[in-house]
Amino acid sequence: MRPDSLATGRSFDPALRGYIIHYHPGEANHCPSCGRSQWMVGRLMAECAYCETALPLENNRGVGACARFVSTHDVMASGDPRESTYP
């Protein structure tokens, strides 16, 4: 029996499971659950029109999966016209 990932303090990473099924645009994609091939395709996922099984798009790996942080350092120099001084 495998210990629960939350109990061990590790976060869940589906890529560690090995083979992951993706939806491939422009190809015949059969649903792994029901075997049909009608899909509703979004920006990040494709959903089976019959059983609602969702698959990630093959060409969007890593996009939207994690937060993107951008830090800028805006240091105002003395005499900068944006600097306001009130008497």
Side-chain angles (χ1 to χ4, degrees):
M1 177 181 258
R2 290 178 21 188
D4 187 28
S5 62
L6 294 176
T8 60
R10 292 181 289 149
S11 62
F12 175 71
D13 186 7
L16 295 177
R17 292 184 296 170
Y19 181 71
I20 297 177
I21 300 170
H22 287 94
Y23 177 87
H24 298 274
E27 296 181 17
N29 293 285
H30 295 280
C31 178
S33 182
C34 68
R36 296 182 179 171
S37 60
Q38 283 293 101
W39 295 91
M40 293 182 284
V41 181
R43 291 184 293 164
L44 298 175
M45 303 288 284
E47 184 177 296
C48 178
Y50 294 98
C51 68
E52 299 178 354
T53 298
L55 298 178
L57 296 181
E58 187 270 333
N59 57 357
N60 285 338
R61 290 185 206 159
V63 176
C66 60
R68 181 183 297 174
F69 296 99
V70 177
S71 62
T72 60
H73 300 287
D74 188 17
V75 178
M76 294 174 49
S78 62
D80 192 342
R82 295 180 296 169
E83 186 176 314
S84 62
T85 55
Y86 294 103

